[in-house]
C-alpha cells in the first residue's frame, strides 16, 4: 500500500465525486483517458473494483464509497498543508479558479486582474463566466462573484468592483422618432423591447425604481437573446427598447447611438461581491486575491 500514488487517489476522488470521467477531466484540465488510466492502476494495486462503469453512468461500488468517504477529508488536509507551505513563499503560486457573471467578466475583472497578476507573477487565473446560480465549491471553483441577493448565507463575502451599479433603459434616436418617447414604465407595454434570457431559459421581468416605488412589468419582446452584444446591436439598429447594465450601454449613450429614456426610473443596486467558503486553510492564490482586494479597498478610503 505504501506505493499507491497520491495522484491516482486524487483522480479516483474526482471521478467518484463527479460520477463522470468527462466532467472530472474538464474540471481538472486533463484528458478523460488519463483519469481512466489512473483508475486502472489504482484498482490493480488494491485488487478491488472501485467504480462501476457503463456507457451511461459511473457509480462507486461499495468499496469505492467507503474509500471516497475517508479520502475526501484526508486529501483536503493535504491540500491545506501544502497551501500553508505555499503561503511562506516570497510569491504565492498556483491557480485561482473563479466563477463570475458575464457582466463582471466583461466590465469589472479586466481592470483588476492585470494589477493582481503583476503583483503575483506565480499565480495563474481561470475565469468561467456564467449567469446562473452555481455551487462554486461543488463545481471545483475556489470562489465566485455574484450580487448580494445571490450570495449564499454561509459564505464569506467581500466587495469587488464598484459599490453601486445601475440598470438603465435606452433606445435609438430612429426608434424614438418612429414610436415616440415613453414617459412611464407602463408605456413600454406598447413598445417593442429587447429582452435578455439567461442560459437556463429564465427571462426576468423588468423592474424600475427602488423600494416602495418599484414597478415590475413584462414587456413584449421583439428580440430575446442571451447574447448582450446582439441585444445592444438590435437596439442601436432601432429594433426596440433595451434595459441592461449601464456599463454595457455607456459607450453607445456617449456616442449618441442610443438615448437614455425613463431616467427617473433608473434602478440602483449594490455592486458585486467575491464570496468563498469559511475554512481553516484557504488556498494560497485565493488568500492572495482576497488580500489584494482588501488592500485596494483601504487605498480608496479618504
Amino acid at each position: 500500500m505504501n506505493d499507491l500514488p497520491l495522484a491516482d487517489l486524487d483522480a479516483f476522488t474526482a471521478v467518484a465525486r463527479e460520477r463522470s470521467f468527462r466532467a472530472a477531466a474538464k474540471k481538472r484540465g486533463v484528458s478523460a483517458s488519463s483519469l481512466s488510466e489512473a483508475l486502472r492502476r489504482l484498482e490493480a494495486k488494491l485488487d478491488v473494483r472501485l467504480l462501476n462503469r457503463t456507457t451511461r453512468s459511473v457509480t462507486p461500488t461499495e468499496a469505492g464509497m467507503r474509500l471516497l468517504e475517508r479520502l475526501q477529508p484526508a486529501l483536503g488536509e493535504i491540500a491545506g498543508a501544502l497551501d500553508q507551505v505555499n503561503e511562506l513563499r516570497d510569491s504565492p503560486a498556483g491557480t485561482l479558479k473563479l466563477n463570475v457573471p458575464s457582466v463582471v467578466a466583461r466590465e469589472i475583472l479586466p481592470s483588476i486582474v492585470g494589477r493582481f497578476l503583476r503583483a503575483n507573477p506565480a499565480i495563474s487565473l481561470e475565469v468561467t463566466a456564467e449567469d446562473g446560480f452555481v455551487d462554486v465549491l461543488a463545481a471545483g471553483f475556489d470562489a465566485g462573484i455574484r450580487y448580494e441577493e445571490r450570495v449564499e448565507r454561509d459564505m464569506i463575502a467581500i466587495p469587488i468592483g464598484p459599490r453601486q451599479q445601475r440598470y438603465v433603459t435606452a433606445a435609438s434616436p430612429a426608434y424614438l422618432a418612429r414610436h415616440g418617447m415613453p414617459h412611464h414604465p407602463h408605456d413600454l407595454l406598447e413598445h417593442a423591447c429587447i429582452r435578455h434570457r439567461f442560459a437556463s431559459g429564465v427571462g426576468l421581468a423588468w423592474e424600475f425604481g427602488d423600494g416602495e416605488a418599484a414597478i415590475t412589468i413584462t414587456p413584449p419582446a421583439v428580440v430575446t437573446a442571451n447574447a448582450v452584444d446582439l441585444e445592444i446591436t438590435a437596439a442601436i439598429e432601432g429594433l426596440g427598447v433595451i434595459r441592461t447594465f449601464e456599463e454595457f450601454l455607456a459607450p453607445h449613450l456617449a456616442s449618441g447611438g442610443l438615448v437614455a429614456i425613463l431616467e427617473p426610473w433608473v434602478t440602483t443596486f449594490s455592486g458585486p461581491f467575491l464570496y468563498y467558503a469559511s475554512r481553516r486553510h484557504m488556498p494560497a492564490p485565493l488568500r492572495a486575491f482576497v488580500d489584494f482586494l482588501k488592500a485596494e479597498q483601504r487605498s480608496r478610503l479618504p
Side-chain angles (χ1 to χ4, degrees), residues 176-197:
L176 295 174
R178 290 196 308 271
H179 299 282
M181 176 72 73
H183 297 288
H184 189 279
H186 285 145
D187 294 343
L188 295 180
L189 297 174
E190 306 300 324
H191 283 261
C193 294
I194 299 163
R195 298 185 59 195
H196 184 77
R197 176 178 290 156

Side-chain angles (χ1 to χ4, degrees), residues 17-97:
R17 189 165 51 223
E18 294 297 326
R19 306 292 177 99
S20 166
F21 282 89
R22 183 177 297 176
K26 183 178 180 181
K27 288 184 179 176
R28 294 299 175 97
V30 299
S31 67
S33 61
S34 68
L35 293 181
S36 180
E37 179 61 22
L39 261 294
R40 187 197 63 75
R41 288 195 302 267
L42 186 60
E43 288 177 331
K45 287 279 188 182
L46 295 174
D47 195 23
V48 64
R49 191 172 187 83
L50 299 173
L51 297 174
N52 291 317
R53 309 163 179 82
T54 71
T55 55
R56 294 188 176 183
S57 66
V58 176
T59 57
T61 63
E62 182 179 354
M65 283 301 300
R66 291 187 181 185
L67 181 61
L68 180 64
E69 289 172 1
R70 300 294 295 270
L71 273 181
Q72 287 193 106
L75 290 174
E77 285 296 315
I78 292 171
L82 293 175
D83 276 322
Q84 280 192 317
V85 173
N86 195 6
E87 289 175 359
L88 299 177
R89 291 167 49 103
D90 291 337
S91 178
T95 301
L96 174 62
K97 297 182 179 181

Side-chain angles (χ1 to χ4, degrees), residues 119-143:
N120 297 274
I123 292 178
S124 61
L125 181 65
E126 291 184 15
V127 177
T128 298
E130 53 186 322
D131 292 316
F133 177 77
V134 176
D135 182 338
V136 293
L137 295 184
F141 296 97
D142 297 305

Side-chain angles (χ1 to χ4, degrees), residues 23 43 70 97 102 136 143 150 163 165 179 195 202 220 234-235 237 241 257 261-262 265 269 277-279 295 297-298:
E43 288 177 331
R70 300 294 295 270
K97 297 182 179 181
S102 56
V136 293
R150 306 201 72 181
R163 297 326 309 140
Q165 289 182 267
H179 299 282
R195 298 185 59 195
V202 174
E237 292 186 354
V241 176
I261 63 175
L262 299 175
W265 297 91
F269 51 93
S278 173
R279 52 189 173 188
Q297 291 165 20
R298 288 192 299 269

